[in-house]
């Protein structure tokens, strides 16, 4: 296993659109293991492959307190969505920043696991938020895109300054 480097906003690679996984072999299994390890180490409750600069439709999520309930979604698609709910979100690619985003309250997602087996989950609450947040990453979208242009501009300036100081 290996810890992967998480890209930070506004890195342009976070805007790439991921392609579906077509072959379920050791490569996907390794990616999923490394992504899970990276997410747990961060620590975070979700990670999309886009965030580790791998542009494939793969996400890992674990919202459990005990960190032993890993959900792997490969090629996820939203099959149904209803209602609206506002929740404060954060992102491993925007460390230390949290803000409210409105998303669907309940969703049904169809996907495959790391072995290529079909799965279907209906989710609400934090899990629904997390799935929608991570699926956005796969199309190059980030939760800060839902903020006002002024808030986003401030955040972008702050992140750029931080990254200049770090490099
Ligand atoms: Ni995120």
């Amino acid at each position: 296993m290996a810890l992967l480097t998480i890209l930070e906003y506004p890195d342009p690679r976070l805007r790439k659109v991921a392609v579906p996984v077509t072959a379920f072999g050791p490569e996907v299994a390794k990616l999923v293991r490394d992504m899970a390890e990276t997410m747990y180490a961060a620590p975070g409750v979700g990670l999309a492959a886009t965030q580790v600069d791998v542009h494939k439709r793969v996400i890992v999520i674990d919202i459990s307190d005990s960190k032993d309930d890993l959900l792997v979604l490969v090629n996820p698609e939203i099959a149904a969505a209803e209602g609206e709910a506002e929740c404060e979100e954060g992102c491993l690619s925007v460390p230390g920043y949290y803000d409210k985003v409105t998303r669907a309250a309940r969703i049904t997602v169809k996907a495959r696991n790391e072995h290529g087996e079909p799965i279907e989950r209906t989710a609400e609450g934090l899990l629904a938020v997390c799935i929608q947040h991570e699926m956005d990453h796969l199309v190059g979208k980030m939760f800060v895109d839902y903020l006002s242009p002024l808030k986003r501009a401030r955040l972008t300036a702050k992140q750029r300054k931080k990254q200049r100081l770090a490099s």
Side-chain angles (χ1 to χ4, degrees):
M1 291 202 284
L3 284 183
L4 307 169
T5 302
I6 299 174
L7 301 176
E8 288 195 13
Y9 178 83
D11 192 309
R13 290 171 289 182
L14 287 165
R15 297 303 185 182
K16 288 192 187 179
V17 176
V19 298
V21 170
T22 51
F24 288 85
E27 194 191 337
V28 171
K30 183 181 189 314
L31 173 64
V32 165
R33 280 197 308 273
D34 290 347
M35 283 175 60
E37 192 189 17
T38 303
M39 172 184 74
Y40 288 126
V45 294
L47 188 69
T50 307
Q51 292 176 273
V52 292
D53 202 23
V54 177
H55 301 282
K56 292 179 180 164
R57 292 185 61 82
V58 177
I59 66 184
V60 293
I61 291 173
D62 190 341
I63 59 161
S64 71
D65 290 333
S66 44
K67 299 294 164 206
D68 59 358
D69 189 19
L70 183 66
L71 176 63
V72 176
L73 298 175
V74 179
N75 300 343
E77 300 294 343
I78 300 284
E82 59 173 335
E84 261 192 12
E86 191 185 57
C87 183
E88 188 162 84
E89 296 186 22
C91 179
L92 292 175
S93 293
V94 197
Y97 187 82
Y98 302 88
D99 216 323
K100 284 178 181 156
V101 177
T102 300
R103 299 189 187 268
R106 280 170 303 280
I107 58 159
T108 298
V109 64
K110 287 184 175 181
R112 295 193 177 262
N113 65 15
E114 66 270 46
H115 310 296
E117 297 155 350
I119 46 177
E120 184 175 323
R121 283 285 286 266
T122 296
E124 55 184 17
L126 179 59
L127 184 58
V129 170
C130 225
I131 292 170
Q132 292 172 83
H133 175 120
E134 301 309 332
M135 284 185 66
D136 270 356
H137 278 299
L138 301 179
V139 291
K141 192 166 182 182
M142 297 190 64
F143 87 106
V144 299
D145 298 345
Y146 296 95
L147 306 179
S148 72
L150 178 63
K151 270 191 182 176
R152 201 166 56 247
R154 280 192 189 139
L155 179 64
T156 305
K158 199 176 124 204
Q159 283 282 115
R160 288 218 168 101
K161 187 178 174 191
K162 188 182 119 188
Q163 285 162 13
R164 269 199 311 275
L165 293 173
S167 61

